[in-house]
Amino acid sequence: MESNFIDCRIEDGIAVLSLDDPSANTLTYHLLQELEQRFQLLECDPDVRGVVITGQGEKFFSGGVNIGMLLTAGKLHNSHFILYAVEVLDYIANSELPVLAAINGNITGGGLELALISDVRVAVEGEYNIGFPEVRLGVIPGMGGTQRLSRLIGPQLALELIAQGRFITPSYANAIGLVDQVLPVDQFKSRAVAVARERFANWEVERRCADKGLTSIINDGVIKDIVSLQIEKGVAKISLLPAASTLPALCALMSINDAILSARSDEDVHTLLLNLNDGSIAVQANEEQPWFIQRYLQLLISRIDTCPRIFSFVCDRVLNDIEIEVAMACDYRFFTGGDLSAIQYISRESPSFYRYAKQLNKLKEAESSIAQLVESGFFKTKPDGKTNDWYMELIKGFTPSTGASQAIGYAKLAVNKGSQLPLEAGLLLERHLQEQLFAAVDSQEGMKAYLEKRSANFKGGYL
Amino acid sequence: MRVRNESVSLIESKYHKEILRWQKRNFPDIDLLEKHWDKYFPNEQKYALCVRTAPLENDLILQGKYKGQRKFAKASSMKGSMLYQALRIIKAQCSTELGSIQQHGTTVDASYSDYAKFSVLRIMAEELRHAYQMFWVLSHDSSWSATGEKRIADNIMDELLQMETGSHVLDAFNIEFTDALDNICFACFVDRIGKFQLSMQEEFAYEPMSMSMKPMLREEAFHLKTGWEVLREICEAAAIGECQWTLDDVQRKINVWFPRALEMFGSEEGGESNLQFSFKSTSNRDAIQEYVREVEWLMGALNAAILKAREPGLSKIEIRAKIKQHSFLGLPSTRFMRIRSGDSLVQSTFDIEGNKLTPEAYESYLLQVLPEKFTGTKFYQDYINKFKVEAGIAA
């Protein structure tokens, strides 16, 4: 894989990742993308027992999110960036590999949020800045900082640090428990690695089937000609091509992931459609998948789930275990095959389906008829009298000719995410999404159009 | 006359028209310049609003993180901080060009001489071409959308073309000119920074930017020459009382423009990432030192010209000996009136000799060494009010 921003060295089972983007190692989309891939490579390496994250140079661990990027890029890109950053940080936080943040200098904003997902934090002694200055810029820490800091040092102190936007020293950070240990300047990074080795010695890293073979697939990166991405009239159609069927499942999953990231950050896209009519994610039925495939699949599912767009799925055949997991994460599933009994066969094979069905509270029986499956909303099939393009007509319901409202994506978040939260948190989420929509141009246009008795001309996207 | 090896082109029509509209509002005298071009600048390449690029002497990156690689032909080949930093530099460059036209325009009619006036008009026209060039850098390459904004050229054009004196990226371009001596001192001290920046940017890692530098530098040389020659003429006339300005007026102008010029380099400690990304070939500290050495030489030459005007019979050796004992004009300390040195305004209360003053004494001192009209500008008022707030002195 191309290495621009992360220097990686593995020393006796401990991988040292150094953020390297002068002068402040700020977080950009490119850096996070490399961090995510680099971490995936380490997860597949059975020799790696732990990871140290640090900053290149002596001045900065990381100065946080690149403000030049936030000021330059459009709202959509920035929303997408924050969403992506949260996904990458969550991915690392949920890894079985233990992580130590070796704070070698100034660490602010998003840089500190990156350190907060680590299991251990050590800092070099000295006078430099540690803190969340976001309120001075008119925002708050938005990559988990408010939640993780308050859980680490308590809400009282966390609020003090965040609301005042002030910087603290390493020794004070150590005193309040934000940093576990302060180490001398001399040989700091070697000492940090030694701490990691000692702390992680008895750490149980249970990676079933960590597979070096997969590293070559990740290293080679996305294979462009196994997935096509076509964007037309607001619909991003991601189609798996026949060549995908001949390659390992990870190739198809990575290529789908790449297409999703491109499509969901495109301001012209209002809805996404994953099409598995021409190609398949190649796995053998009943074969246990490598541990990492499951981990990567969960990342992809989470990405589909949190995508603030309506996400549809189309197929015309029986799906395998991985494909059905992907299909379940989508908001709508369309079956375009001629043999409807295939739908029933899918359900019999898939434990995911029964979890879903239970959630819907519609199917009480272990076995289900095609009629029940269609009725439950699991699959939509071709209505009588419609052309073969019937599902595209349905999808276009989310992309009217005048543009789709931002509210569609937010409705998805409120319903899907909100229903998984305690009622109080769900209500909070709903209120904040509504506040954002009220502040956005689409709601102004929508209400104005209503009063003027005309169709609204939405700009679409999300905020 | 056409300069060899330079390619000439235009930017997309919608942008071209937009710039012409801006020119009509901010620089209507361009027609006058074109009409009298041959009278004042015979045998020199005529002005044209166009893009000029020159082939690169070296298409490799010579320093920093990407040393040895080919310069990037596409913006999207630059990734991470590099991409956004490149954009910031190009935008700042463009803002300075437009800003200086707005500044020059207010006082150009009161120029010291006809030649001075047409020279300033030419400077303004060439600054407009430089802005045009920067818009080309941004608009001809659709891969700037890699920044996360598809309409990058449109957005930056909208933003920059709406800027007025006071809202430009760098301070030196936010100071209203109060008389025609500003035009000349600005060309002499601030445009000289332009020369440094453009020279350093010949090594710019983004190819369209580096290809733009040679033609811009060629034009910038005239700006410096104008500033220096007309300032020397003014000083010679002032030395014998035959000028609307006194040497004290000139000194006060130097006290205004030299500190602002220094700040255009950025902080002495900074600029490391520009070297890493090969956006510049010299560190801020080295560039500042080189600039100061060059301007010190100019001051020596100005002092010599003044003495020679007063005592025409003196030999070169006698002049050199005398100005060592007494100079008429001098550069203020590099610590004088710094706003972006990294220290707070209250910590930056130095006199022109570099001695620290108390915050209470500072404002009245500034009134003694700065031009009276300058202290009435919005720039100065904003500066002094901010200083007072920081110092806890009642406004």
Side-chain angles (χ1 to χ4, degrees):
Chain A
M1 79 180 260
E2 198 184 356
S3 181
N4 279 313
F5 308 111
I6 312 282
D7 178 64
C8 177
R9 282 163 206 203
I10 300 173
E11 300 167 14
D12 194 18
I14 299 293
V16 180
L17 299 182
S18 300
L19 310 179
D20 180 16
D21 195 9
S23 57
N25 302 324
T26 52
L27 307 181
T28 56
Y29 186 79
H30 296 124
L31 185 144
L32 288 173
Q33 207 170 23
E34 200 175 311
L35 182 63
E36 181 184 352
Q37 276 177 281
R38 186 58 69 182
F39 213 86
Q40 286 163 354
L41 278 172
L42 297 176
E43 286 187 316
C44 291
D45 189 337
D47 298 334
V48 173
R49 306 284 306 169
V51 180
V52 170
I53 300 179
T54 189
Q56 194 73 276
E58 290 169 2
K59 287 185 187 166
F60 278 92
F61 175 90
S62 168
V65 176
N66 188 303
I67 303 300
M69 175 190 74
L70 294 180
L71 271 176
T72 304
K75 282 181 182 174
L76 183 70
H77 177 277
N78 288 341
S79 295
H80 172 65
F81 171 79
I82 296 297
L83 177 62
Y84 182 66
V86 168
E87 286 170 349
V88 174
L89 265 56
D90 277 353
Y91 184 86
I92 297 173
N94 293 326
S95 173
E96 286 188 9
L97 280 178
V99 178
L100 177 144
I103 300 167
N104 58 310
N106 294 293
I107 177 167
T108 55
L112 187 50
E113 289 177 300
L114 177 58
L116 281 172
I117 59 163
S118 306
D119 303 287
V120 182
R121 282 162 293 281
V122 299
V124 67
E125 65 181 359
E127 292 294 317
Y128 55 88
N129 293 331
I130 298 177
F132 284 117
E134 279 87 344
V135 289
R136 295 193 220 161
L137 279 63
V139 293
I140 59 170
M143 287 150 48
T146 61
Q147 300 308 299
R148 291 195 172 99
L149 185 67
S150 54
R151 283 161 175 76
L152 184 68
I153 63 172
Q156 180 71 41
L157 262 176
L159 181 61
E160 205 174 303
L161 286 182
I162 292 171
Q164 292 179 3
R166 72 186 168 95
F167 294 127
I168 58 174
T169 60
S171 53
Y172 183 71
N174 184 216
I176 62 173
L178 175 53
V179 160
D180 298 288
Q181 206 175 336
V182 176
L183 301 174
V185 179
D186 184 42
Q187 303 284 311
F188 167 70
K189 287 184 185 171
S190 305
R191 287 174 195 266
V193 171
V195 171
R197 190 163 287 126
E198 185 191 329
R199 293 279 191 111
F200 301 156
N202 299 317
W203 207 284
E204 289 196 9
V205 182
E206 287 186 28
R207 283 169 295 152
R208 305 178 302 273
C209 322
D211 185 350
K212 271 205 163 178
L214 293 173
T215 59
S216 64
I217 296 175
I218 302 172
N219 247 326
D220 292 345
V222 169
I223 300 168
K224 295 286 179 198
D225 53 3
I226 59 171
V227 163
S228 77
L229 170 63
Q230 291 170 303
I231 298 172
E232 198 179 331
K233 293 181 180 169
V235 180
K237 195 172 181 183
I238 300 167
S239 303
L240 208 51
L241 302 177
S245 316
T246 62
L247 294 167
L250 185 59
C251 295
L253 293 175
M254 283 175 62
S255 300
I256 292 171
N257 179 49
D258 191 56
I260 291 172
L261 288 175
S262 294
R264 79 176 187 186
S265 63
D266 191 311
E267 61 193 35
D268 296 330
V269 171
H270 303 307
T271 181
L272 291 88
L273 171 70
L274 179 57
N275 173 15
L276 260 59
N277 279 353
D278 302 320
S280 62
I281 303 171
V283 287
Q284 296 299 313
N286 303 322
E287 184 186 306
E288 192 180 343
Q289 297 304 319
W291 166 85
F292 184 72
I293 299 288
Q294 288 301 332
R295 173 125 168 89
Y296 199 90
L297 182 61
Q298 289 313 309
L299 171 75
L300 190 65
I301 286 171
S302 154
R303 205 150 266 167
I304 293 171
D305 190 36
T306 53
C307 173
R309 297 280 195 282
I310 296 298
F311 209 122
S312 302
F313 179 93
V314 61
C315 71
D316 59 0
R317 59 177 168 79
V318 174
L319 302 174
N320 63 39
D321 289 352
I322 288 185
E323 290 168 337
I324 194 82
E325 292 279 346
V326 173
M328 299 305 298
C330 296
D331 304 305
Y332 292 93
R333 286 153 293 274
F334 304 110
F335 186 80
T336 56
D339 180 8
L340 290 184
S341 66
I343 299 178
Q344 198 156 319
Y345 187 62
I346 290 167
S347 73
R348 288 204 190 97
E349 296 301 308
S350 167
S352 305
F353 169 71
Y354 291 101
R355 282 202 303 276
Y356 172 82
K358 199 175 167 193
Q359 196 182 325
L360 277 178
N361 203 22
K362 289 207 172 170
L363 296 177
K364 305 271 192 266
E365 304 295 325
E367 294 289 321
S368 51
S369 68
I370 294 170
Q372 281 175 312
L373 288 165
V374 172
E375 186 201 340
S376 72
F378 179 55
F379 266 109
K380 292 187 186 301
T381 54
K382 183 180 169 185
D384 291 339
K386 290 283 184 182
T387 63
N388 285 340
D389 250 4
W390 59 273
Y391 63 95
M392 288 304 289
E393 284 174 33
L394 272 170
I395 287 171
K396 282 175 185 164
F398 304 113
T399 57
S401 55
T402 52
S405 157
Q406 292 159 337
I408 292 174
Y410 275 33
K412 171 183 167 177
L413 288 183
V415 171
N416 287 359
K417 281 285 155 198
S419 61
Q420 294 168 24
L421 299 170
L423 178 62
E424 195 183 349
L427 291 172
L428 189 66
L429 173 68
E430 181 194 78
R431 180 159 62 80
H432 280 286
L433 291 174
Q434 185 72 306
E435 278 174 7
Q436 287 192 52
L437 287 170
F438 275 138
V441 286
D442 271 4
S443 64
Q444 301 298 311
E445 164 63 9
M447 288 185 259
K448 213 169 146 190
Y450 173 79
L451 289 178
E452 292 167 5
K453 296 184 172 38
R454 62 173 172 83
S455 300
N457 190 12
F458 292 124
K459 295 210 182 298
Y462 53 108
L463 302 174
Chain B
M1 188 185 90
R2 186 178 167 139
V3 177
R4 281 177 65 194
N5 290 333
E6 276 186 15
S7 303
V8 175
S9 60
L10 297 180
I11 60 176
E12 202 181 319
S13 166
K14 65 172 179 174
Y15 300 127
H16 185 91
K17 285 178 185 163
E18 201 59 46
I19 292 174
L20 284 179
R21 268 195 287 276
W22 185 91
Q23 175 258 307
K24 284 192 170 66
R25 280 199 313 275
N26 291 276
F27 184 17
D29 281 349
I30 203 163
D31 299 339
L32 191 67
L33 171 71
E34 286 172 335
K35 192 173 160 192
H36 293 94
W37 183 275
D38 289 337
K39 180 179 171 189
Y40 292 99
F41 315 111
N43 306 321
E44 290 197 51
Q45 178 178 262
K46 279 200 172 177
Y47 166 77
L49 186 61
C50 63
V51 176
R52 293 185 193 280
T53 52
L56 296 176
E57 282 172 15
N58 189 342
D59 61 0
L60 293 181
I61 296 170
L62 299 178
Q63 61 185 22
K65 196 172 171 179
Y66 301 102
K67 186 177 177 179
Q69 289 188 31
R70 277 188 66 117
K71 285 183 178 171
F72 301 118
K74 288 276 172 197
S76 56
S77 303
M78 298 185 284
K79 296 195 185 323
S81 303
M82 184 182 195
L83 178 65
Y84 298 100
Q85 196 157 317
L87 183 67
R88 201 158 60 241
I89 291 171
I90 296 163
K91 187 176 161 187
Q93 181 74 49
C94 192
S95 166
T96 63
E97 312 291 0
L98 297 172
S100 70
I101 296 168
Q102 288 170 325
Q103 288 170 303
H104 279 300
T106 55
T107 48
V108 64
D109 284 341
S111 287
Y112 172 68
S113 64
D114 268 1
Y115 178 75
K117 175 178 174 172
F118 279 89
S119 296
V120 171
L121 287 176
R122 176 174 163 181
I123 290 173
M124 292 166 71
E126 288 172 346
E127 303 288 19
L128 184 66
R129 199 200 71 71
H130 294 180
Y132 189 89
Q133 184 87 27
M134 291 301 103
F135 282 126
W136 170 77
V137 171
L138 291 175
S139 65
H140 84 288
D141 177 1
S142 61
S143 81
W144 280 106
S145 62
T147 53
E149 175 53 66
K150 281 185 180 172
R151 287 171 32 91
I152 200 89
D154 299 62
N155 288 354
I156 289 186
M157 184 168 267
D158 285 350
E159 187 185 344
L160 292 183
L161 294 186
Q162 280 173 24
M163 284 180 172
E164 299 288 346
T165 305
S167 61
H168 285 284
V169 177
L170 296 173
D171 281 344
F173 302 87
N174 289 324
I175 299 174
E176 309 98 287
F177 287 6
T178 56
D179 58 39
L181 187 52
D182 279 321
N183 297 86
I184 299 307
C185 288
F186 186 92
C188 188
F189 291 96
V190 177
D191 280 348
R192 193 166 299 278
I193 304 285
K195 180 198 81 171
F196 274 80
Q197 301 283 27
L198 299 180
S199 303
M200 290 191 282
Q201 285 170 190
E202 279 194 280
E203 293 304 327
F204 209 93
Y206 177 51
E207 199 175 81
M209 185 70 169
S210 53
M211 287 168 69
S212 300
M213 292 302 116
K214 218 172 259 314
M216 288 171 74
L217 264 169
R218 184 171 46 72
E219 289 157 336
E220 200 73 22
F222 172 79
H223 308 180
L224 305 187
K225 179 172 158 277
T226 298
W228 159 241
E229 288 182 352
V230 179
L231 184 59
R232 192 181 56 196
E233 254 180 71
I234 289 171
C235 287
E236 285 166 346
I240 51 173
E242 289 183 0
C243 177
Q244 65 193 97
W245 295 293
T246 65
L247 289 179
D248 182 56
D249 292 333
V250 175
Q251 180 63 60
R252 285 171 187 255
K253 291 289 188 190
I254 293 170
N255 295 345
V256 169
W257 292 111
F258 178 67
R260 304 282 64 77
L262 284 180
E263 299 218 321
M264 287 175 62
F265 284 109
S267 112
E268 285 200 15
E269 307 306 321
E272 191 198 326
S273 55
N274 283 330
L275 293 174
Q276 281 289 317
F277 296 143
S278 190
F279 291 151
K280 289 179 183 171
S281 54
T282 314
S283 70
N284 287 359
R285 181 184 297 278
D286 290 348
I288 289 171
Q289 283 174 358
E290 205 178 320
Y291 171 77
V292 171
R293 268 198 301 273
E294 194 170 304
V295 181
E296 276 173 348
W297 182 89
L298 289 180
M299 295 307 289
L302 271 187
N303 279 314
I306 292 165
L307 189 57
K308 179 90 177 158
R310 285 194 177 164
E311 301 181 49
L314 289 178
S315 69
K316 276 185 182 173
I317 296 169
E318 286 168 325
I319 289 172
R320 210 172 293 148
K322 276 202 166 187
I323 58 171
K324 263 190 183 169
Q325 290 165 358
H326 172 74
S327 54
F328 303 95
L329 299 172
L331 285 180
S333 158
T334 53
R335 304 177 88 178
F336 174 67
M337 217 183 156
R338 296 298 293 271
I339 297 176
R340 295 171 192 240
S341 63
D343 293 328
S344 68
L345 294 182
V346 181
Q347 290 171 316
S348 307
T349 53
F350 294 95
D351 68 11
I352 57 172
E353 307 295 337
N355 303 310
K356 185 89 168 78
L357 299 172
T358 63
E360 290 73 21
Y362 186 59
E363 187 187 2
S364 58
Y365 175 77
L366 290 180
L367 296 176
Q368 291 169 37
V369 296
L370 295 172
E372 191 183 342
K373 281 186 195 165
F374 171 72
T375 61
T377 61
K378 184 175 182 305
F379 177 86
Y380 178 80
Q381 288 301 318
D382 287 349
Y383 164 74
I384 208 69
N385 287 338
K386 199 172 171 199
F387 161 74
K388 283 178 176 174
V389 170
E390 271 189 27
I393 302 170

